[in-house]
Amino acid sequence: MMLKGKIFKSLLIAALTCFSWQTSMGQKTFTLEDLNYGGTNFYNMRVQTRYTNWWGDELIKGDVEACYVVNKQTGKEQVLFDLKDVNALLDSDKSHQVNHLMSCTFPYSNKTLAYIVTGKQHLLYDWTKKKIEWIQNKETTDVQSWNAQSLSTAYILNNNLFVSDKKGNKTQLTTDGSSDIVYGKAVHRDEFGIYKGLFWSNDGEQLAFYRMDQSMVETYPQVNVFTPIATLEPEKYPMAGRTSHKVTVGIYNASTGKTIYLAVGDPTNRYFTNIQWSPDNKILYLIELNRKQTKMQLDAYDAATGKKIKTLYTEESNKYVHPVTPITFLPWNKNQFILQSEKDGYNHLYLFNTNGELQRQITSGKWVVLDLMGFNSNKKCAYILSTECNPIQNNIFAVDIASGKRTILDNGKGCHANTYGENNKHRLAVSESGKWIIDNYSEPQVPRNINIINTENKKTLTWFTAPNPWKGYTVPEFTSGSIKAADNQTDLYYRMVKPTNFDPNKKYPTIIYVYGGPGVRNVEARWNYSSRGWETYMAQKGYLLFILDNRGSSDRGLEFEQATFHKLGVEEMKDQMKGVDFLTSLPYVDKNRIGVHGWSFGGFMTTNLITTYPEVFKVGVAGGPVINWEWYEVMYGERYMGTPQDNKEGYNNSNLLNKAKNLKGKLQIITGMNDPVVVPQHAENFLKSCIDAGTQPDFFIYPGEGHNMRGHSSVHLHERITQYFEDYLKPLKAKE
């Protein structure tokens, strides 16, 4: 979805790279094929890394030709097994062969078995015996979930849910699946941290799954133009204030062969999220929200009968609650779990028992717990990633569960534990016992280091240092700082990218790159402060780039995020204009040549800025812009804006159709023709309003593309964005 923070952040970070041909002066310069995700040379020029996994407490490096055991004290690597030994046991057909060993996993700490997936099969390979212990054909579907304990696989085929056991016996669990009745997939438009729809019990003998009835949801008429006569490809799209889908949760028990559904009652206008099994597999926990998202409750259900056992915890807000993480049981106490909550204004850890009694608040402070990474049972501590050191950093701490005492485990700089598992969480960083952490991190001047941390004695081994891929290239200067928000109290962090060969005596055209919405933090203490590749490309062309995280963006606490509640595009604009004030105070910024660009929420902000402040912004490029929040989806839209019926003033003030008449500068709207997130009627209606008002935007559409341009189309997109600023912003001359 638009606005999916962790996936969006990953794309931004992935876009940091470079580079290509030689200038006449001997310095290398960049092309979009080097810098842009999707470019022909992007993967060759990105920052090097190492692909790691834990086999219990043993660190394994996966590579193309082999897997290696890494000595955690010395960093030396020894071959565990290689690719040719595996492939020698498989059919010579290419689709059955393993292409590389970078993504194999090690699900059993007490067995020498690696789980490997090929194009058509998945298998367990015993490297000591050089033998395949188990193998099965994969189903031709993107939705499947394998369980390491039972060796069972759940999957969706022809819209229905199936389970294949370890012997390959298949059981069809549903028969009414269709485009209206959806099984086993993420629901509620992937909000609330939901990223999948299949949830195995710990022993793999039971499967919880989502069933979504969207027959009552209105259909958006997407069109496929690549057929001889264009054909409709309708998509269910629940818009704010309109009818939403209904979700229920089923449980299949392999031992009985029966499926039951949780007795939740009428699911209308209710959200069921953050599913978690109890350690003994007898209880299923979930968090329920009302449609207004003002109340959440943690409920326990009997997995055998589906009956509700009790509500363990409730939390209410006059604005919204936003749970995105399931409860986590302590590995040494099956009767206690950790709940993450923002109830004190910042996301923190709270310890409960299974009776629903609060034992203690484990962490507190005016900073955010970003992730609960893992545990150490011997030390009775948890490992977290947080912003305690600095609002633009991510640092690793050990937290004593009993006392709440925190001990930092990294160097206190940069952004750490960049090792991701499911749903972009960082659990792959921590070994099974918690005695070791693999710390893949970067700093503004450090492309990537990978350290091995011994949590017992706090000693750190630098295992890998990535070479600087910028060496030999003419690079811009990257800086970061802070300014005060429009409330004159709150610190806002920015990134500035100065033109290559910067001359402070010159005046430069300046582009503000903006996102500005919830769930995303653009400015981070990563390499080059998380600068996107396109920013480097534009700096090379003589532009100054400025990126500011306004109030309403993520990881700064509830007050910071909720400053925009029920009035999206108001406070954010004020903060961005404080950024403009800062820019125009700098002697090298040409105040007559300021442009703006953003995508998704950033497209909304771009369009809003250029039509609200037409004398300031001369050129804008708005990608996939929300124009009218009434046409955006229920879950996200209503969390931040309420319904159009209840918040008429807020929706009217944020409706950019009302501002089309204000357009004076050059504005290009770009959208994917089949965007399922910000549907094309946003852009199309804005064009109609401009026609009615006599204003003249430009428009470009990518046939067949969704919310973001895929593959090499992304290079074309950024060529187009670049050319628009080259044509209309750079030629403008400063007034004498």
Side-chain angles (χ1 to χ4, degrees):
M1 320 277 309
M2 177 178 79
L3 328 161
K4 293 296 176 267
K6 305 280 186 187
I7 296 176
F8 189 74
K9 278 185 196 176
S10 296
L11 290 173
L12 291 180
I13 295 164
L16 298 171
T17 47
C18 19
F19 330 121
S20 188
W21 47 277
Q22 301 270 347
T23 69
S24 58
M25 297 184 67
Q27 289 294 311
K28 298 176 184 178
T29 57
F30 314 141
T31 73
L32 284 174
E33 299 290 359
D34 303 318
L35 288 163
N36 196 78
Y37 190 81
T40 56
N41 205 38
F42 173 79
Y43 283 100
N44 293 326
M45 306 306 294
R46 59 185 176 169
V47 180
Q48 291 183 24
T49 190
R50 293 292 181 265
Y51 298 92
T52 59
N53 252 297
W54 289 104
W55 169 37
D57 277 348
E58 294 295 337
L59 180 62
I60 308 298
K61 185 188 84 170
D63 213 329
V64 175
E65 299 293 339
C67 280
Y68 301 82
V69 178
V70 181
N71 185 306
K72 299 182 292 296
Q73 284 81 22
T74 66
K76 292 183 179 180
E77 303 168 13
Q78 181 178 353
V79 174
L80 190 65
F81 62 91
D82 60 36
L83 187 67
K84 69 178 189 304
D85 288 339
V86 180
N87 280 333
L89 301 171
L90 297 173
D91 190 298
S92 59
D93 183 287
K94 188 175 182 180
S95 63
H96 290 84
Q97 292 278 291
V98 182
N99 295 321
H100 62 79
L101 293 173
M102 292 186 290
S103 57
C104 62
T105 58
F106 303 84
Y108 316 101
S109 59
N110 60 344
K111 298 178 182 179
T112 55
L113 294 175
Y115 178 64
I116 302 173
V117 180
T118 74
K120 289 189 176 181
Q121 298 169 311
H122 54 157
L123 57 97
L124 289 170
Y125 172 70
D126 189 323
W127 62 83
T128 57
K129 299 177 181 178
K130 292 191 176 183
K131 176 184 176 184
I132 293 175
E133 289 291 338
W134 174 87
I135 189 169
Q136 256 185 27
N137 290 333
K138 285 195 315 178
E139 298 297 330
T140 54
T141 172
D142 292 333
V143 182
Q144 51 189 311
S145 178
W146 178 74
N147 182 268
Q149 302 308 312
S150 64
L151 305 187
S152 295
T153 304
Y155 59 94
I156 308 298
L157 188 63
N158 297 324
N159 295 311
N160 281 301
L161 178 58
F162 294 77
V163 167
S164 174
D165 68 16
K166 65 181 179 181
K167 295 181 179 179
N169 300 314
K170 295 177 173 57
T171 302
Q172 183 170 348
L173 306 188
T174 68
T175 57
D176 59 341
S178 66
S179 59
D180 282 340
I181 307 297
V182 180
Y183 286 101
K185 296 183 180 180
V187 298
H188 304 322
R189 303 292 294 183
D190 298 354
E191 291 292 335
F192 315 111
I194 299 171
Y195 66 100
K196 64 179 182 178
L198 299 170
F199 308 87
W200 283 106
S201 60
N202 304 293
D203 60 5
E205 296 300 324
Q206 298 176 87
L207 175 72
F209 59 90
Y210 277 128
R211 179 187 190 271
M212 177 171 63
D213 181 354
Q214 55 181 0
S215 59
M216 68 293 294
V217 176
E218 293 165 301
T219 300
Y220 189 87
Q222 299 281 15
V223 177
N224 179 355
V225 298
F226 300 116
T227 54
I229 297 178
T231 52
L232 282 173
E233 292 185 349
E235 177 174 340
K236 297 291 185 177
Y237 193 99
M239 290 185 178
R242 306 179 79 90
T243 304
S244 187
H245 53 240
K246 300 179 182 180
V247 169
T248 49
V249 178
I251 298 177
Y252 166 71
N253 188 312
S255 62
T256 65
K258 294 181 178 179
T259 298
I260 57 98
Y261 284 85
L262 301 189
V264 298
D266 184 358
T268 303
N269 293 330
R270 298 163 70 191
Y271 302 134
F272 302 106
T273 77
N274 298 293
I275 290 174
Q276 181 65 282
W277 283 94
S278 63
D280 63 6
N281 310 304
K282 294 180 179 180
I283 299 174
L284 193 72
Y285 296 88
L286 57 79
I287 294 175
E288 178 189 339
L289 291 93
N290 60 335
R291 176 155 171 173
K292 286 189 174 182
Q293 302 178 49
T294 56
K295 179 180 180 180
M296 61 167 270
Q297 59 186 52
L298 172 63
D299 295 330
Y301 288 86
D302 188 309
T305 65
K307 292 181 179 180
K308 183 175 177 179
I309 299 171
K310 68 181 299 184
T311 295
L312 286 83
Y313 173 77
T314 60
E315 186 176 319
E316 297 186 59
S317 168
N318 60 1
K319 292 183 178 177
Y320 58 80
V321 289
H322 188 203
V324 296
T325 307
I327 62 171
T328 306
F329 281 87
L330 299 183
W332 59 86
N333 189 333
K334 296 179 181 180
N335 296 313
Q336 290 185 324
F337 61 84
I338 291 174
L339 174 77
Q340 298 190 41
S341 170
E342 296 177 287
K343 68 178 183 176
D344 76 347
Y346 296 85
N347 190 57
H348 282 297
L349 309 183
Y350 295 81
L351 183 66
F352 285 82
N353 64 26
T354 49
N355 293 322
E357 298 167 335
L358 175 63
Q359 307 296 284
R360 68 185 65 88
Q361 181 173 350
I362 301 171
T363 61
S364 63
K366 294 184 177 181
W367 45 270
V368 173
V369 173
L370 299 168
D371 194 13
L372 173 57
M373 298 165 55
F375 295 94
N376 186 316
S377 295
N378 288 335
K379 288 181 169 291
K380 302 293 189 296
C381 75
Y383 300 112
I384 64 170
L385 199 67
S386 81
T387 63
E388 183 173 359
C389 291
N390 189 293
I392 66 170
Q393 293 183 195
N394 303 346
N395 296 100
I396 306 170
F397 287 82
V399 183
D400 185 86
I401 297 298
S403 68
K405 181 182 177 181
R406 298 181 300 280
T407 305
I408 192 166
L409 296 177
D410 60 37
N411 64 3
K413 306 174 185 178
C415 289
H416 290 256
N418 302 324
T419 307
Y420 301 97
E422 287 189 323
N423 198 26
N424 286 317
K425 296 294 183 180
H426 300 79
R427 291 180 178 85
L428 289 176
V430 181
S431 73
E432 183 174 81
S433 72
K435 294 179 180 178
W436 302 92
I437 294 177
I438 184 75
D439 181 18
N440 185 324
Y441 73 95
S442 72
E443 299 173 21
Q445 285 77 43
V446 176
R448 174 176 284 114
N449 281 354
I450 303 179
N451 289 349
I452 302 171
I453 301 173
N454 183 328
T455 64
E456 300 286 313
N457 58 22
K458 312 298 187 299
K459 290 185 178 179
T460 296
L461 171 73
T462 299
W463 172 47
F464 173 72
T465 299
N468 185 352
W470 298 84
K471 187 176 181 180
Y473 292 84
T474 303
V475 299
E477 178 186 355
F478 300 88
T479 59
S480 180
S482 66
I483 62 172
K484 292 297 181 183
D487 64 3
N488 294 318
Q489 297 179 359
T490 307
D491 288 328
L492 304 177
Y493 293 88
Y494 68 80
R495 171 174 74 247
M496 183 182 291
V497 186
K498 291 180 179 177
T500 52
N501 303 311
F502 174 71
D503 182 348
N505 297 311
K506 291 183 178 181
K507 286 188 177 292
Y508 291 96
T510 296
I511 300 171
I512 293 173
Y513 176 77
V514 62
Y515 184 76
V520 170
R521 181 178 62 169
N522 266 321
V523 182
E524 296 188 307
R526 301 179 189 272
W527 188 45
N528 297 334
Y529 293 102
S530 290
S531 182
R532 305 165 64 246
W534 180 76
E535 295 165 21
T536 294
Y537 187 65
M538 295 304 283
Q540 179 180 277
K541 289 182 172 294
Y543 296 86
L544 184 145
L545 284 298
F546 184 77
I547 299 88
L548 179 72
D549 281 335
N550 51 249
R551 286 172 298 157
S553 53
S554 73
D555 299 338
R556 295 288 303 278
L558 275 181
E559 184 178 356
F560 188 90
E561 182 179 281
Q562 293 182 341
T564 65
F565 180 68
H566 276 200
K567 50 182 180 179
L568 291 179
V570 176
E571 299 304 316
E572 304 99 315
M573 299 272 284
K574 294 176 185 177
D575 287 353
Q576 289 295 329
M577 291 310 294
K578 293 291 285 188
V580 171
D581 291 343
F582 168 69
L583 286 171
T584 54
S585 72
L586 303 174
Y588 44 83
V589 170
D590 188 343
K591 67 180 180 180
N592 296 308
R593 291 190 291 170
I594 296 180
V596 59
H597 166 50
W599 201 271
S600 199
F601 198 104
F604 164 70
M605 288 290 292
T606 296
T607 309
N608 205 354
L609 286 165
I610 201 170
T611 55
T612 304
Y613 305 100
E615 302 303 327
V616 173
F617 297 97
K618 301 302 188 292
V619 180
V621 179
V626 174
I627 298 296
N628 182 351
W629 286 101
E630 289 191 37
W631 302 330
Y632 197 64
E633 61 191 37
V634 167
M635 298 82 194
Y636 182 100
E638 292 182 5
R639 180 186 312 130
Y640 302 114
M641 287 292 287
T643 65
Q645 297 87 343
D646 295 337
N647 184 23
K648 292 181 181 180
E649 181 180 2
Y651 274 86
N652 183 65
N653 290 340
S654 68
N655 188 342
L656 302 187
L657 299 179
N658 301 328
K659 298 185 177 184
K661 61 183 183 296
N662 301 336
L663 181 62
K664 292 183 179 180
K666 297 295 295 184
L667 172 64
Q668 179 171 223
I669 303 285
I670 304 177
T671 191
M673 182 177 175
N674 300 92
D675 191 336
V677 178
V678 182
V679 290
Q681 77 181 70
H682 286 268
E684 292 163 354
N685 275 273
F686 185 77
L687 296 180
K688 180 61 168 63
S689 291
C690 288
I691 293 167
D692 293 343
T695 54
Q696 293 285 345
D698 292 314
F699 183 60
F700 194 85
I701 196 165
Y702 280 85
E705 293 287 355
H707 191 51
N708 299 100
M709 304 311 113
R710 298 163 297 180
H712 202 257
S713 292
S714 180
V715 176
H716 185 278
L717 167 67
H718 285 86
E719 287 174 344
R720 183 163 194 88
I721 296 168
T722 300
Q723 194 60 50
Y724 202 74
F725 287 112
E726 288 282 272
D727 289 345
Y728 298 113
L729 187 63
K730 184 176 280 187
L732 291 174
K733 301 298 181 183
K735 294 179 180 179
E736 297 295 332

